Amino acid sequence: MARYVFITGGVVSSLGKGLASAALGALLQARGYKVRLRKLDPYLNVDPGTMSPYQHGECFVTDDGAETDLDLGHYERFTGRPANQQDNITTGRIYQDIIASERRGDYLGATVQVIPHVTNKIKEFVLDGNEEYDFVLCEIGGTVGDIEALPFFESIRQLGNDLPRGGCIYVHLTLMPWISAAGELKTKPTQHSVKELRSIGIQPDILLVRADREIPAEERRKLSLFCNVRETAVIQALDAQSIYDVPMTYHKEGLDQEVLDAFGIDPAPKPKMQMWDEISHKIHNPEGEVTIAIVGKYTILKDAYKSLIEALQHGGIANNVKVNLEWIESEIFEKEDPSPWLSKVDGILVPGGFGERGSEGKIEAVRFARERKIPYFGICFGMQMAVLEAARNLAGIKNAASTEFNDKAKEPVVGRMTEWLKGNMLEKRKEAGDLGGTMRLGAYDAVLKEGTKIAKIYGDTKISDRHRHRYEVNIDYKERLEAAGLVFSGMSPDGILPETIEYPDHPWFIGVQYHPELKSRPFAPHPLFSSFIEAALKQSRLV
C-alpha cells in the first residue's frame, strides 16, 4: 500500500516546495522505491492554460495534453516519471466537477458544502490510482494561512485519520531569515507558521528550513522544542549553486532517512546516488562555455521559460560545457539593429509565445541567424517566425503573415487550425470557442525526412514530442518555401501539418512546432538541445 507524504509551505511563497518535492522523490527513487508526485493548486482557474506567463510562469504540458503547474516539470526532470492529467488538480477543477454533479442531481437533494463534498473530492483525487506506488508525494500550493488553500489543508488533515496508522507524514517547508541588524537567524517566522498549521489540526513530522547560511545547533534545538518536532527532523535547506545539487544536499542533511524513519522503515534500503554525483560533477567542472541568446517576449520573468532554461543546461551537461544565457526582449529589434546584441553569441534561440507583440523583432533575430550562419533554434512560435522570415526574404512573399496577428491576412503563411488528427481521432475546435484547453496539446507523432539533419540528430524518422499551440504553418505554401531553400524536414503522419524545418546549407538551423524542452532530463538530455549546444560550441571556436 502506498505511503503518503504531504509537503506544505509557510512564511512566504516561492521557497521551492516543488523543487523540494522533486528532490525527495528522486532520493526515494535512489533507494529503489516507486514514487508518484502530485500537485494541489488552490487557485480558481481550472488549469494554468489561460494564465499569463507573468502571473504563473511556464505552463507545463504532459503527454496526455494536460496544462499543468510548472512544478510538474521539476517532478519529471528529477524522477524521469512522465506526469499526467491526474497529477495536478486546482480548486477550479474541483468546483467545476462538483457543480456539474450537483446539476445532474448526483447529490440527491443534499446541501452541497465545502465539508464534506469539496474535501471528499480532494481526497478522492489524492488517493486515486496509486496502487502500484510505494510513495505518493503531494505538494500543497500556496502558503499556510491562505484562505483559498484551507479546503486542501483540511483534506490532508482528514487523510491523516482516514489512512491506516503510519500511512502518511507531513513535511513543512519554511524560511529562517537572517536579520543583518541583529546578526542572527530568526526562528520566530517558522514558529508562527507551524502554530498556524497546528491550529488547523496538522502537526508536521519534518521541518525543512530554508536559510542562506548554516543553521546553528542551538537554533535547531529551539525549533524542535517550540514546533514539537524531533531535533533530527529539523532539516536545513541551504541555497544551492545548481538545482541539481539539491538531491545530494538533502541526502547529506538526512531528509530521506528522516522520512523513512517517520514511517518506521528499518532497515532502510541504501541509496544509489552515483547518477546525481556525476551530474553535479559535470555542472561544476565544465570544459568550456557557450553563450546562447534567448530572444523572447516574457524575459522579465524567467519562470516563463523554466523548462527551456533547464533543457539548455541539460545540453550543456551532455557537452561538458557551461551554458550562459543572454536574455533579450524581442521588441528591441523592432527599433534597433540586432548586430550589437547578437554578433558575439554562439547560438540564437527564439522560444514559444502568443500574440503579435515582439513578433517582428523575432523575425529580425531569425534573419540575423540565417544570414550570419549562427546556430538557430526556433521552438513553436520560433519556428513560425522562421517560416515567415523565409517567406518574406527568400520566397518573395512580401505580405506573409500569421492570422494570429491579422485574421484577414492576404498571405496567411501561418494560420489557425480548427481540426487535426490525434491518433485515429479527429480533434475539432471552434474559432470562437473557449480559450482554455483548446490548443493542440500533448504528445503527437511526427515523421522525419530521411537524410535530414534533424533525422540524424534523433537517429530515427519516427518521433513523438509535446505540443502546445493554436496556429500551424500553412501547407499550401510548402512548395514555394522549399523552392526558396527551406526544407520541411518533418511532417505529421497524415502529411498535413509541418512539424520541423531546416536549412541544409546552414551550420545548424532548425525549427520545430513542438516543445522538445518538456521532455528533456538532466540524465537524459533531449537530442535537439544536445546537438544545438554542440553546434554553439563549434561556433564559439570560430569567433
Side-chain angles (χ1 to χ4, degrees):
M1 188 184 78
R3 299 176 175 90
Y4 292 82
V5 181
F6 297 110
I7 297 101
T8 59
V11 184
V12 295
S13 60
S14 302
L15 285 180
K17 289 194 306 297
L19 190 56
S21 302
L24 178 55
L27 291 175
L28 292 172
Q29 270 192 342
R31 291 180 181 267
Y33 293 109
K34 196 166 186 183
V35 178
R36 182 177 200 176
L37 292 107
R38 303 183 121 164
K39 177 74 183 289
L40 314 179
D41 274 311
Y43 49 74
L44 281 171
N45 303 67
V46 173
D47 59 43
T50 59
M51 295 170 74
S52 164
Y54 291 123
Q55 287 277 317
H56 190 262
E58 171 189 75
C59 179
F60 188 80
V61 179
T62 61
D63 278 339
D64 62 355
E67 293 178 285
T68 71
D69 187 85
L70 62 81
D71 282 331
L72 272 75
H74 287 313
Y75 302 166
E76 285 202 10
R77 285 187 285 273
F78 277 68
T79 68
R81 175 192 172 271
N84 59 44
Q85 190 88 36
Q86 297 307 312
D87 289 326
N88 188 202
I89 197 77
T90 68
T91 299
R93 191 165 146 203
I94 293 287
Y95 276 94
Q96 185 182 58
D97 289 351
I98 288 172
I99 291 168
S101 296
E102 186 273 333
R103 292 289 84 189
R104 288 194 303 267
D106 294 351
Y107 294 110
L108 303 175
T111 301
V112 182
Q113 297 175 290
V114 173
I115 300 173
H117 300 101
V118 172
T119 52
N120 283 349
K121 201 77 172 175
I122 294 169
K123 290 193 292 184
E124 286 172 15
F125 168 79
V126 170
L127 298 174
D128 184 49
N130 299 326
E131 296 78 13
E132 62 180 294
Y133 298 98
D134 300 307
F135 288 93
V136 178
L137 279 56
C138 288
E139 176 195 347
I140 316 301
T143 307
V144 63
D146 294 348
I147 192 168
E148 63 266 28
L150 282 174
F152 292 101
F153 286 113
E154 171 61 19
S155 299
I156 65 172
R157 182 200 68 78
Q158 291 180 20
L159 283 168
N161 293 325
D162 296 346
L163 291 166
R165 189 179 295 277
C168 76
I169 66 168
Y170 303 94
V171 177
H172 192 49
L173 179 66
T174 71
L175 175 68
M176 198 168 184
W178 170 261
I179 307 300
S180 57
E184 290 181 310
L185 284 166
K186 288 296 184 180
T187 64
K188 200 61 82 175
T190 295
Q191 291 181 49
H192 281 296
S193 182
V194 172
K195 182 181 178 182
E196 182 78 27
L197 197 60
R198 293 173 71 187
S199 73
I200 55 179
I202 298 173
Q203 167 61 52
D205 298 280
I206 297 171
L207 286 181
L208 193 55
V209 187
R210 285 297 307 273
D212 65 354
R213 64 202 67 208
E214 290 279 336
I215 301 175
E218 183 56 37
E219 266 58 43
R220 293 201 203 191
R221 282 193 289 271
K222 192 174 181 180
L223 285 176
S224 169
L225 178 64
F226 286 104
C227 298
N228 195 31
V229 174
R230 291 176 180 273
E231 194 174 326
T232 57
V234 179
I235 308 292
Q236 65 178 3
L238 304 180
D239 295 345
Q241 285 184 275
S242 165
I243 65 170
Y244 301 114
D245 292 331
V246 174
M248 187 62 72
T249 300
Y250 283 178
H251 173 63
K252 290 176 180 176
E253 294 294 335
L255 175 61
D256 48 329
Q257 184 62 56
E258 201 62 38
V259 167
L260 298 177
D261 288 347
F263 282 111
I265 299 174
D266 186 31
K270 292 188 180 299
K272 297 178 180 178
M273 301 297 294
Q274 295 92 329
M275 178 178 72
W276 291 106
D277 261 335
E278 290 173 9
I279 290 170
S280 183
H281 178 78
K282 285 186 176 182
I283 289 172
H284 296 298
N285 297 277
E287 296 175 359
E289 59 182 77
V290 297
T291 300
I292 304 298
I294 298 180
V295 184
K297 57 191 295 183
Y298 314 117
T299 57
I300 294 172
L301 184 69
K302 304 301 185 290
D303 271 358
Y305 301 109
K306 190 60 184 171
S307 291
L308 181 65
I309 294 169
E310 297 310 318
L312 287 165
Q313 302 306 324
H314 304 162
I317 291 171
N319 288 279
N320 291 322
V321 297
K322 179 184 178 183
V323 179
N324 301 309
L325 302 181
E326 290 281 345
W327 296 92
I328 303 172
E329 193 70 24
S330 58
E331 287 179 283
I332 290 172
F333 297 153
E334 294 172 8
K335 303 173 184 176
E336 300 181 22
D337 176 13
S339 183
W341 302 80
L342 299 177
S343 60
K344 294 182 180 180
V345 302
D346 306 312
I348 298 170
L349 190 149
V350 174
F354 295 94
E356 185 175 9
R357 182 180 69 83
S359 60
E360 293 299 324
K362 292 185 177 186
I363 289 172
E364 285 304 308
V366 174
R367 181 173 184 170
F368 188 89
R370 177 179 61 79
E371 292 179 345
R372 299 293 185 94
K373 302 293 186 182
I374 297 173
Y376 174 81
F377 196 179
I379 295 176
C380 194
F381 195 78
M383 167 178 152
Q384 294 171 8
M385 296 304 98
V387 172
L388 289 182
E389 193 278 329
R392 293 177 186 179
N393 299 319
L394 295 179
I397 309 171
K398 298 301 180 185
N399 293 317
S402 169
T403 58
E404 184 174 2
F405 317 145
N406 178 7
D407 58 6
K408 295 179 181 178
K410 293 181 180 179
E411 298 283 6
V413 175
V414 177
R416 183 170 183 173
M417 294 295 295
T418 56
E419 59 182 53
W420 55 83
L421 282 175
K422 185 166 189 176
N424 295 320
M425 299 292 293
L426 184 66
E427 297 268 329
K428 292 187 177 183
R429 298 289 183 267
K430 294 180 180 179
E431 284 281 358
D434 290 343
L435 288 179
T438 58
M439 289 185 274
R440 191 171 172 222
L441 293 165
Y444 284 84
D445 294 337
V447 179
L448 305 180
K449 187 181 292 185
E450 288 190 12
T452 56
K453 185 171 293 183
I454 195 167
K456 292 174 183 176
I457 291 169
Y458 275 97
D460 202 345
T461 55
K462 293 181 180 179
I463 63 167
S464 175
D465 264 292
R466 298 176 189 174
H467 293 64
R468 185 178 184 250
H469 54 97
R470 288 190 182 88
Y471 295 83
E472 304 272 357
V473 173
N474 189 341
I475 190 68
D476 293 343
Y477 289 88
K478 180 173 181 286
E479 288 187 10
R480 291 168 70 182
L481 287 163
E482 290 204 314
L486 183 68
V487 172
F488 285 71
S489 50
M491 301 291 293
S492 59
D494 59 8
I496 294 175
L497 304 176
E499 292 279 12
T500 75
I501 59 161
E502 63 182 69
Y503 286 110
D505 60 347
H506 193 284
W508 206 100
F509 189 111
I510 290 175
V512 296
Q513 184 57 73
Y514 46 85
H515 288 269
E517 70 270 21
L518 298 176
K519 295 182 76 169
S520 188
R521 312 282 181 264
F523 39 81
H526 194 286
L528 283 176
F529 284 92
S530 298
S531 180
F532 178 56
I533 297 302
E534 181 183 17
L537 184 59
K538 291 178 182 176
Q539 177 72 18
S540 71
R541 291 165 179 165
L542 297 175
V543 176

